[in-house]
Amino acid sequence: MSAATLPPAGSVLGALKLLAERPSAMFGLAVIASLVVVALLAPWIAPYAADDFTEGVLEPPSWAHLFGIDQIGRDLFSRVILGTRISLRIGLLAVGISLAFGVTLGVLAGYFGGWVDAAIMRVMDVVMALPYVLLAVLIATALGPSLENGIIAIGIVRIPRFARVARAATLATVELPYVEAARCIGASHPRIIAKEILPNILGPLIVYGTLSLGDAILAAAVLSFLGLGAQPPTPEWGALLYEAQKYLTTAAYLSLFPGLFVFVTVLSFNLLGDGLRDMLDPKSRR
Amino acid sequence: MSAATSRPTVEARNLSVRFRARGEAAWPWSKAGEVKAVENVSIAVPRGEMFGVAGESGCGKSTLARALLNLVAPSAGEVRIDGRAVAGMPALELRSSIQMVFQDPYNSLNPRRRVGDIVAESLVVHGRFDDRERAHRTLTMLEKVGLGAQHLERFPHEFSGGQRQRIAIARALILEPQFLVLDEPTSALDVSVQAMVLELIRQLRRDLDLGCIFISHDLNLLGFLTDRLAVMYLGRIVEMGPTKEIFAAPAHPYTVELIAATPSPYEEGREPRQPIEGEIPSNVNPPPGCPFHTRCRKRIGPICDSRLPELRWHEGRAVRCHLYDGPPAESGGAP
Amino acid sequence: MRRVLRTLWIRLFNSALVIAVLSVVVFGFMRMIPGDPILALMGTEGITDAKLAEVKKELGLDRPLYVQYLSWAWHVLQGDFGRSIQNNEPVLPMLLERLKVTAELAVAATILGSSLGILIGVVSAVRRNTIFDSASMIGALSGVSMPVFWLGIILIVGFSVKLDIFPTGGLVSHNTRLVAVTGFPLLDSLITGQRAATVDILKHMVLPTVTLAFAPAALVARTTRASVLEVINEDYVNAGLARGLSFAGVVARHVMRNALIPVVTIIGLEIGVYLGGSIVTESVFSYPGLGRYMMQGIMANDYPVVQGAIILYAAIIVVVNLVVDLSYSAIDPRVRS
């Protein structure tokens, strides 16, 4: 019964106010908001296009080229800025996949229980038996290395986790009298799930989804870095790092900036997610 | 069925409900104990009657309520409404003839839906009327329970317990059922609010000619409210008959103790005077013989621990006790 | 006792089931991979269809999929993981050799990560809401958010390229000769008394170990802090203080024992994080462990190697989780019921 519940509906403003009490969460939110703005305006912010060649090769950071120039003469700042859009999109799409399938499976397992539950959760256990980097590597390999397949791999890997969160929240909700009341007036299973269960398990899902956005972006960078995700010359952050790896001794700045962006993005989603969780579940507050 | 009931009636015939004692769903084939929640219960409640079910928590009265609405499937026996078996009835038809009000008004309303939607939901699910007519009927129903148009757009958390129970009653009655099951509808409310909700229920029962099954552990309340009464213990009916007569001269030793343990309404808030001795036995492994023999002060001998007494007629009511040896009363119809 | 045995059997059966299903999945995935391993092996130049078919037949790749699977699974059960498509050597001995390298790295990282995490967690909890607490918890969250490979890169740039304290990667320097006894490089160098080799191996291990230990240390620190805070307010702590024990004494004697149960569980369950992290870490540091071997297998479409590596990973994780679960219920009697 300790499932986090959202504050009563219709109070997004109230939620923001509660969140404002947590500076670290607000910091995360602010960074994420700026990243979103950067992603939306990327083509206008970046001084060069992703594959524009400028003067010079492997130039360290300067005022003209804030993050330096890479091994074939491209402006790294522009590529990192353009990569923001790619990385955020990866996060959203991958988490979208996990959310869609994970919540469906988890809610069905929690709602119907019995053998449906046993069957679904056994499969989830199998998927969870592998470390998720390993599984993502495996799926991305099987599908063939590309940005899209990387997204699918990362999406699939997190399905069981979302299923668990959704199942736990559903189990806590399905026993509540208003669900029985809905059965009592004759509502069908799909209607009960849509109208009674889903709106009431949103809290934990939002928390977990926020934390997952950071993880998905991180995992995408790992895949690209291993050569299994986005392929150069795509300016995805992990792919930038993959390219920069060969120049560690001569041009470390090429590795520094894309990695910093991954780190700050993931950190911000974690800060926001932690803040949301504390806000929704006062018991975890310390 | 019987001649005594020419009016539409909801009846349970030899109804039993058993659950598997639930654990984790890890092993579908693993054995678990069985909870015998309701054992061989027969009642018949005609339209217009206020029928009470009394008993301590865990006696199966809530399960009986749910079985009457087919919210839990019976393990044996059946429920009939107006002579028709509930089990085979189309869901929506069943739902429009019998409805229920739940115990906990704080959890029986979805916190994320507006009151207007909660009440209208019944009509939407049943596909009755168009939007305008639904809105009209929702408002009329809310007014009947003492709420108004200003409440339509609010969320449940903005209401007091008593108001929420009114909303729950409106949700149940908007389908115009013949029967209403009330599962401890006032036990979560303050005493002052209780009285108003009870008065509302009485008045609605009269106006709508409802057959009500009122479930409660509070004998005072049942004594004041109901026409007939069934007392349950460990899933079985131990005494059933007109409320006034049972109160005047309780026959079953359990009923006697239950009434003795109830504080009189004039000494409000005081502890029960004589709590019943002993623990309620588990309904996974109920004691053999008469289920009450482990706590009974009037045991007459080994027969009590070995043979389950039948329900027998005794002074105008049915009693399940070896003290009495009237004719069998298993039919369960009104005496 | 019978109950415990029964639980044990059920868990074992469950674990076996997980691995069995996983083996099917892995086998299927490997066959989905675009690209032909034979072509990857021999090159596309000057190869006739007839020759291709012959090689396929030789490797058993011409049979129906399920026959291939069953035959593979049957052999795996007997300890035969097949032969590498790349160099035709038996897979299992090579996997085990690489696993030993990874194991030393993972053990070192576990020791470092757990002790550091517990230390930071306990001190943070005891000095709750001090600057140390805030700083270490921000640090811990950063640790969880830090891309492992980026951390590795930063460490290489700082400690290898700029300061030149540690080597950039590899297991040992080119001029170091290793004598194999057990197959565990560090252990072997200690057994045979090659001090120079020991020092060389340790130097190569430092950066990968720190990289690998960072995220788990952060998680352990967070768990320890929460768990100590949970326990620290309980009655027996106050009772201990009332009996005149010093605060540090109470923390050491009572708080730690009770608070560490969930921490131990987390450390046990972290094995997946270590193994997953080792794939990335070994890639960054060119460390010749199981993860890097598997990645090389993936790049070469070497089915038997990849299948074997994944089954091995899964088996290790399942077994460790089982042991953690069972020992957990042995430590804490409340879980047994």
Side-chain angles (χ1 to χ4, degrees):
Chain A
M1 281 287 297
S2 68
T5 45
L6 283 171
S11 54
V12 176
L13 255 175
L16 263 178
K17 264 186 205 152
L18 269 175
L19 200 63
E21 290 168 18
R22 279 159 250 277
S24 57
M26 284 310 281
F27 172 78
L29 187 62
V31 173
I32 293 165
S34 1
L35 284 171
V36 170
V37 172
V38 167
L40 291 175
L41 303 179
W44 292 278
I45 295 175
Y48 300 90
D51 42 8
D52 267 1
F53 296 104
T54 64
E55 302 283 303
V57 169
L58 289 179
E59 299 268 347
S62 63
W63 281 112
H65 302 282
L66 284 176
F67 294 175
I69 297 174
D70 75 2
Q71 68 280 5
I72 51 174
R74 293 168 300 190
D75 177 51
L76 185 63
F77 177 71
S78 303
R79 287 173 63 75
V80 169
I81 293 296
L82 292 165
T84 309
R85 184 179 269 199
I86 300 175
S87 285
L88 288 187
R89 201 174 63 103
I90 291 174
L92 285 176
L93 289 176
V95 171
I97 292 173
S98 321
L99 200 68
F101 288 93
V103 171
T104 307
L105 291 170
V107 167
L108 289 178
Y111 184 78
F112 289 105
W115 67 265
V116 178
D117 186 22
I120 290 177
M121 294 325 283
R122 279 284 156 270
V123 175
M124 298 293 113
D125 280 353
V126 173
V127 181
M128 296 255 291
L130 282 184
Y132 91 110
V133 175
L134 184 57
L135 191 60
V137 163
L138 189 64
I139 298 173
T141 309
L143 297 175
S146 77
L147 178 59
E148 289 70 29
N149 290 342
I151 293 174
I152 295 172
I154 295 162
I156 293 177
V157 165
R158 296 194 73 87
I159 289 175
R161 286 149 223 268
F162 273 92
R164 284 200 166 178
V165 173
R167 173 177 178 270
T170 305
L171 281 179
T173 309
V174 82
E175 298 289 329
L176 290 174
Y178 61 78
V179 176
E180 195 172 25
R183 284 178 61 203
C184 190
I185 60 166
S188 59
H189 291 312
R191 189 169 178 91
I192 292 176
I193 289 172
K195 294 273 179 182
E196 316 291 332
I197 307 268
L198 278 179
N200 286 293
I201 63 169
L202 278 181
L205 290 178
I206 288 173
V207 171
Y208 199 68
T210 308
L211 293 170
S212 295
L213 277 168
D215 272 6
I217 291 171
L218 184 58
V222 168
L223 279 189
S224 309
F225 180 74
L226 293 175
L228 294 171
Q231 301 294 309
T234 312
E236 194 267 337
W237 293 335
L240 293 178
L241 284 162
Y242 176 76
E243 284 186 89
Q245 205 184 359
K246 290 160 220 147
Y247 306 94
L248 265 191
T249 48
T250 48
Y253 54 87
L254 288 182
S255 296
L256 184 66
F257 293 105
L260 195 63
F261 267 69
V262 177
F263 171 53
V264 170
T265 307
V266 178
L267 181 64
S268 303
F269 278 111
N270 281 343
L271 285 171
L272 181 62
D274 272 10
L276 286 173
R277 178 174 50 212
D278 290 353
M279 186 181 94
L280 295 177
D281 182 11
K283 261 173 285 178
S284 75
R285 213 179 288 164
R286 289 274 173 194
Chain B
M1 56 162 232
S2 74
T5 55
S6 53
R7 308 203 63 192
T9 301
V10 55
E11 346 159 31
R13 288 187 185 174
N14 305 106
L15 189 74
S16 295
V17 183
R18 300 180 194 115
F19 301 112
R20 280 196 356 181
R22 243 177 84 171
E24 281 287 295
W27 297 96
W29 58 84
S30 54
K31 273 253 163 93
E34 216 180 30
V35 180
K36 299 172 181 71
V38 173
E39 280 290 292
N40 200 16
V41 164
S42 301
I43 59 169
V45 180
R47 225 180 147 164
E49 185 179 71
M50 184 71 93
F51 184 88
V53 179
E56 293 162 290
S57 58
C59 74
K61 52 195 197 301
S62 284
T63 307
L64 173 63
R66 281 161 179 76
L68 288 177
L69 282 105
N70 208 25
L71 289 173
V72 296
S75 318
E78 60 172 357
V79 176
R80 288 175 170 262
I81 291 179
D82 215 0
R84 293 178 55 199
V86 153
M89 219 187 266
L92 292 186
E93 196 184 327
L94 166 67
R95 303 295 169 207
S96 44
S97 52
I98 183 163
Q99 273 298 321
M100 179 158 175
V101 174
F102 294 86
Q103 175 174 13
D104 177 2
Y106 297 92
N107 279 317
S108 66
L109 304 176
N110 185 341
R112 313 213 149 267
R113 304 192 72 183
R114 292 172 199 279
V115 166
D117 292 337
I118 291 176
V119 176
E121 173 80 359
S122 310
L123 296 178
V124 176
V125 164
H126 286 249
R128 291 196 198 160
F129 318 118
D130 56 15
D131 284 355
R132 269 192 58 196
E133 178 65 13
R134 278 203 283 262
H136 171 69
R137 284 181 178 248
T138 302
L139 185 56
T140 317
M141 195 63 234
L142 275 181
E143 281 166 352
K144 259 188 213 164
V145 299
L147 299 168
Q150 73 275 24
H151 299 120
L152 281 172
E153 294 296 311
R154 298 206 194 151
F155 288 96
H157 72 271
E158 298 172 67
F159 293 87
S160 69
Q163 285 174 313
R164 291 188 202 202
Q165 212 55 309
R166 288 166 190 268
I167 296 165
I169 293 170
R171 165 177 62 193
L173 292 184
I174 199 167
L175 288 169
E176 300 173 327
Q178 301 168 290
F179 300 99
L180 185 63
V181 178
L182 301 123
D183 184 11
E184 306 246 19
T186 59
S187 66
L189 304 179
D190 291 343
V191 179
S192 54
V193 182
Q194 268 191 21
M196 295 197 294
V197 173
L198 289 176
E199 190 46 46
L200 175 69
I201 292 170
R202 259 160 78 116
Q203 179 200 328
L204 287 169
R205 201 256 315 211
R206 242 191 345 260
D207 295 353
L208 304 173
D209 192 28
L210 290 168
C212 287
I213 291 127
F214 195 107
I215 288 163
S216 178
H217 66 279
D218 184 343
L219 277 181
N220 283 326
L221 205 154
L222 291 170
F224 146 83
L225 203 66
T226 61
D227 308 318
R228 276 196 310 139
L229 186 63
V231 180
M232 285 183 73
Y233 187 78
L234 275 188
R236 294 180 190 276
I237 290 180
V238 294
E239 181 161 5
M240 176 164 65
T243 308
K244 280 207 184 83
E245 290 174 32
I246 290 182
F247 270 77
H252 195 283
Y254 178 63
T255 318
V256 175
E257 300 224 14
L258 208 54
I259 291 178
T262 309
S264 114
Y266 308 108
E267 338 170 41
E268 200 168 274
R270 282 180 51 180
E271 286 297 299
R273 291 174 301 188
Q274 282 175 290
I276 306 179
E277 274 174 25
E279 296 272 312
I280 306 178
S282 136
N283 49 9
V284 179
N285 293 307
C290 169
F292 189 57
H293 82 255
T294 56
R295 301 163 80 191
C296 185
R297 293 172 201 247
K298 294 190 178 164
R299 280 186 57 212
I300 51 175
I303 188 174
C304 290
D305 337 345
S306 58
R307 238 183 69 204
L308 176 71
E310 288 172 65
L311 263 185
R312 292 175 181 281
W313 290 125
H314 172 77
E315 294 177 4
R317 77 197 79 152
V319 187
R320 189 188 289 282
C321 179
H322 290 301
L323 285 172
Y324 309 101
D325 51 2
E330 289 291 14
S331 74
Chain C
M1 194 56 210
R2 279 194 56 188
R3 214 192 155 105
V4 175
L5 269 180
R6 198 179 119 87
T7 317
L8 184 67
W9 280 118
I10 290 178
R11 295 277 176 83
L12 276 177
F13 175 75
N14 229 357
S15 309
L17 198 72
V18 165
I19 293 179
V21 176
L22 211 59
S23 72
V24 178
V25 173
V26 169
F27 192 87
F29 273 169
M30 291 313 293
R31 294 306 188 275
M32 275 171 65
I33 296 177
D36 193 310
I38 312 294
L39 292 182
L41 180 69
M42 308 176 106
T44 44
E45 304 276 316
I47 192 166
T48 61
D49 283 356
K51 174 76 179 159
L52 198 65
E54 191 185 314
V55 176
K56 276 197 170 180
K57 189 164 181 149
E58 204 173 291
L59 292 169
L61 296 177
D62 59 333
R63 295 171 297 172
L65 262 190
Y66 72 92
V67 177
Q68 287 186 45
Y69 170 75
L70 288 177
S71 132
W72 172 70
W74 178 241
H75 283 103
V76 164
L77 281 178
Q78 296 167 317
D80 172 12
F81 281 60
R83 284 170 180 273
S84 160
I85 292 179
Q86 293 170 91
N87 54 17
N88 204 32
E89 286 191 40
V91 168
L92 187 61
M94 289 169 64
L95 287 176
L96 291 179
E97 188 194 320
R98 303 306 184 101
L99 178 63
K100 287 169 184 166
V101 173
T102 298
E104 282 191 338
L105 188 61
V107 168
T110 311
I111 294 171
L112 178 69
S114 309
S115 47
L116 204 64
I118 291 175
L119 188 70
I120 293 175
V122 170
V123 176
S124 295
V126 173
R127 321 221 147 173
R128 175 146 56 120
N129 297 336
T130 60
I131 292 178
F132 178 86
D133 181 24
S134 320
S136 54
M137 282 306 113
I138 291 172
L141 196 62
S142 311
V144 179
S145 314
M146 180 80 77
V148 173
F149 57 96
W150 189 59
L151 176 65
I153 288 171
I154 300 277
L155 290 177
I156 289 176
V157 170
F159 290 93
S160 307
V161 179
K162 298 266 188 268
L163 298 175
D164 198 19
I165 304 176
F166 299 113
T168 55
L171 179 66
V172 289
S173 308
H174 290 297
N175 48 8
T176 303
R177 303 284 310 157
L178 288 179
V179 183
V181 183
T182 58
F184 291 96
L186 186 60
L187 192 63
D188 284 351
S189 74
L190 288 170
I191 292 174
T192 55
Q194 298 169 282
R195 281 203 53 186
T198 309
V199 172
D200 192 40
I201 294 173
L202 283 174
K203 268 182 131 180
H204 280 83
M205 271 179 85
V206 172
L207 294 186
T209 305
V210 171
T211 306
L212 192 50
F214 206 71
L219 245 163
V220 169
R222 277 161 60 113
T223 314
T224 308
R225 179 177 178 274
S227 169
V228 170
L229 283 179
E230 193 104 340
V231 176
I232 211 163
N233 292 322
E234 302 220 352
D235 287 345
Y236 52 79
V237 175
N238 293 324
L241 287 175
R243 281 210 317 272
L245 289 175
S246 73
F247 187 65
V250 174
V251 169
R253 282 174 65 172
H254 298 291
V255 175
M256 292 305 283
R257 187 185 303 163
N258 290 284
L260 283 188
I261 294 172
V263 175
V264 168
T265 316
I266 285 283
I267 293 173
L269 296 178
E270 287 286 274
I271 182 79
V273 177
Y274 284 111
L275 289 180
S278 71
I279 299 172
V280 182
T281 307
E282 289 172 7
S283 286
V284 175
F285 289 96
S286 312
Y287 209 75
L290 186 57
R292 191 168 147 78
Y293 186 47
M294 188 191 72
M295 285 309 297
Q296 288 166 341
I298 285 178
M299 293 309 167
N301 277 353
D302 196 338
Y303 301 158
V305 167
V306 180
Q307 286 163 187
I310 286 172
I311 295 298
L312 203 55
Y313 273 125
I316 294 169
I317 291 168
V318 165
V319 168
V320 170
N321 283 353
L322 193 66
V323 171
V324 169
D325 255 22
L326 294 176
S327 58
Y328 186 32
S329 58
I331 298 171
D332 190 348
R334 276 169 303 181
V335 190
R336 246 179 267 161
S337 62

